[in-house]
Amino acid sequence: MREFENLDAFAAAVGEHLGYSEWLKVTQDRVNLFADATDDHQWIHVDEPMATAGPFGGTIAHGFLTLSLLSAFGPKIYKVNGIKMGINYGLNKVRFPQPVKVGSKVRAGAELVEVTDIPGGKQAVSKWTVEIDGEAKPACVAEWVTRFLA
């Protein structure tokens, strides 16, 4: 994990790749829990027999499940010291180029694209890429906007 002493040190890293998370196996249990939490029980996610005969050869994770894993991956990639809090401010752009088959392993990498001053802190835009072990195309590419309050 990359650790920054303060917001200024973090801002100085614009244009740099911040690192990668560990690999995480996407299980059917995780997909089912996400389906229950979001009320999205589409068969490609939760009906294993039907999904096996479907276009992906088995169940796949929800795109929004893949995206939501950024919250778990982020603290394992970098940390900014000397702040009161970080706030998820939103996303600029999100794409899901490749489905994540249940049983696959995924990890995220992050690049710091931009840091601007805001009242009480800084706003950062970072580009996140969720990779699938053994696949050429990523599962998710997203621009994430975060606010850090000092």
Side-chain angles (χ1 to χ4, degrees):
M1 177 181 51
R2 189 162 176 190
E3 194 166 343
F4 296 94
E5 184 178 334
N6 53 41
L7 278 173
D8 290 332
F10 181 64
V14 166
E16 295 180 21
H17 195 273
L18 302 176
Y20 293 96
S21 69
E22 302 270 327
W23 290 101
L24 173 79
K25 186 174 183 178
V26 176
T27 65
Q28 188 64 54
D29 284 343
R30 182 182 296 267
V31 171
N32 291 345
L33 286 169
F34 191 84
D36 290 343
T38 61
D39 249 354
D40 181 354
H41 294 94
Q42 186 178 24
W43 62 270
I44 61 172
H45 305 304
V46 298
D47 188 331
E48 294 177 70
M50 190 170 178
T52 299
F56 306 111
T59 51
I60 61 169
H62 304 72
F64 287 129
L65 168 56
T66 304
L67 178 65
S68 72
L69 290 173
L70 295 183
S71 294
F73 291 142
K76 296 172 182 165
I77 294 175
Y78 73 90
K79 177 183 179 183
V80 181
N81 292 320
I83 62 170
K84 290 180 184 171
M85 66 177 1
I87 299 170
N88 175 6
Y89 194 65
L91 300 152
N92 288 337
K93 184 177 179 180
V94 179
R95 296 291 182 266
F96 303 108
Q98 178 82 11
V100 176
K101 295 178 182 178
V102 168
S104 297
K105 292 188 292 183
V106 295
R107 73 173 181 178
E111 176 187 342
L112 187 57
V113 175
E114 175 184 296
V115 176
T116 54
D117 291 330
I118 59 169
K122 295 192 183 292
Q123 178 171 292
V125 176
S126 49
K127 180 181 177 187
W128 291 76
T129 303
V130 178
E131 302 174 347
I132 308 167
D133 192 25
E135 296 286 344
K137 292 196 307 189
C140 178
V141 179
E143 278 188 6
W144 192 2
V145 184
T146 308
R147 289 194 162 184
F148 296 94
L149 305 178

